[in-house]
Amino acid sequence: MPGESVPKPAAADKLRRMPQPTLTLIPPSDPDTAEQWRLDQRMNDLAGLILSHTPGDGIHQTAIARLHLVHLTVPQPPAIGIYQPSMCILAQGRKRVMLGDEVYIYDRSRYIVGTVGMAVTGEVLDATPERPYLCFRLDFDPRAIADMVLELNLAIPPRQASARGLFLENASIPMVDAALRLIGLLDTPEDIAALAPLAERELLYRLLRSPQGWRLVQAAMQDSHAQRIARAIHWLQGRFTEPLRIDDMAAAAHMSASALHHHFKAVTAMSPLQYQKRLRLQEARRLLLSESLDAATAGHRVGYESPSQFSREYGRMFGAPPARDLQRLRLARDGLAVASQY
C-alpha cells in the first residue's frame, strides 16, 4: 500500500536469519506462589513423560514392574473395584473415589495412597483429547516399606487409633521429582535394573516422611492392628466364595472377633461381611463379562445359593440387574476397568 516500506527480498531473508528472542519462564517473586509455580512445572514435565510412554487410551504396564501409567481421553463412569496398596499421582485430570459414604477427590494438587486392599468406587471426572487424564501409579512392595520403617526407626504417634487404609496427601516438589526420576528411567532401559529400586526407595521415603506417612507406618509395623487387618483382608480375598466364619478370620489375623470387627471397619469403612459381598459381586460381574456365564451360574460360582438373592444384591450394588448391567459393561468395558483401579 502507498506509504508502506516493503523490505527487499535480500533484506527479508536477512531478517529471517536473525536470532529470535527466546521466552524464559521466570518464577513469581512471592515465595508461596513461586513454590506452586515450580510444582506446576514439575507436573507438566511428568505429564509429558506419561504421554510419551502411553501410545493411546488405557492402562500401560511399563518395563518397571510396579509402575503403571494411565492415559484416558474421556471421563469414566463410576466403577467398583479393589484398590490395591499403591500410590497414584495425577499429572493431569481429576478423579473421585468413594469409600462407603466418604468421598476423596484428587488432582495434580493431591495424590492418593492405599495402604491395604480397599473396596472402592472410582470415577474419572476430567479427561479430554486435548487434556487427557494422566496417572502415575506405583504399587507397593510391603517388604520394602517394612524394611524402611525399621531402618528409619519410625513409630506411630502415641494413642493413634487404627487409620483408614486410604488417604490423600498434598503433592510436593520432592515427591514429584522422585516420580520423574523413576519414569525417566523408561528412556534408558539399560539403567532400570540398577536405578529403579533406588528411585522407588526415594518415593517410599518421601511418602513415609509426609504428614500422613504415619498411616503407612501403621500398616507396615509388625503385629499392628492395621497389619493384622491387612492379613485378614488377604485371608478373605482367598476365601470369599466360602461362607464367612468370623472366628476363623479372627484367628488368621490373631485377633478376637470383637477386635476384628472394630478395627476392620476402622480401616476399610465396612464390615467383613460387606467386604466379602463386594468381592463376590465384583467377581460375578467379571465372570458375566469375560466368561459369558448366565446370572445363576455366576452367582453360584461366587458363593450364592439363591439366584434371587444374588440378582437382588447385584442390582443394589451396580444399579441394574445382571443382564442389563452386562449390556452396559460391553459398551464401556475398558473404561470401567480403568476407573475402578486408577
Side-chain angles (χ1 to χ4, degrees), residues 1 50-51 59 81-82 88 109-110 134 164 174 180-181 207 214-215 229 231 253 256 258 279 287 300 303:
M1 294 180 64
I50 295 174
L51 276 172
I59 305 167
I82 301 298
C88 287
S109 69
R110 298 189 294 178
L134 300 171
R164 281 284 187 267
L180 285 168
R181 278 187 277 277
L207 181 55
W214 64 268
R215 296 172 182 264
I229 294 305
R231 194 180 303 150
S256 68
S258 60
L279 291 175
L287 292 171
H300 182 75

Side-chain angles (χ1 to χ4, degrees), residues 142-151 153-156 214-231 252-255:
R143 185 182 297 276
I145 295 173
D147 288 347
M148 186 171 287
V149 167
L150 291 174
E151 181 181 336
N153 197 27
L154 299 175
I156 303 171
W214 64 268
R215 296 172 182 264
L216 194 58
V217 174
Q218 189 181 73
M221 290 191 70
Q222 183 69 27
D223 286 332
S224 67
H225 290 309
Q227 190 182 75
R228 291 180 182 185
I229 294 305
R231 194 180 303 150
H254 303 296
M255 305 176 79

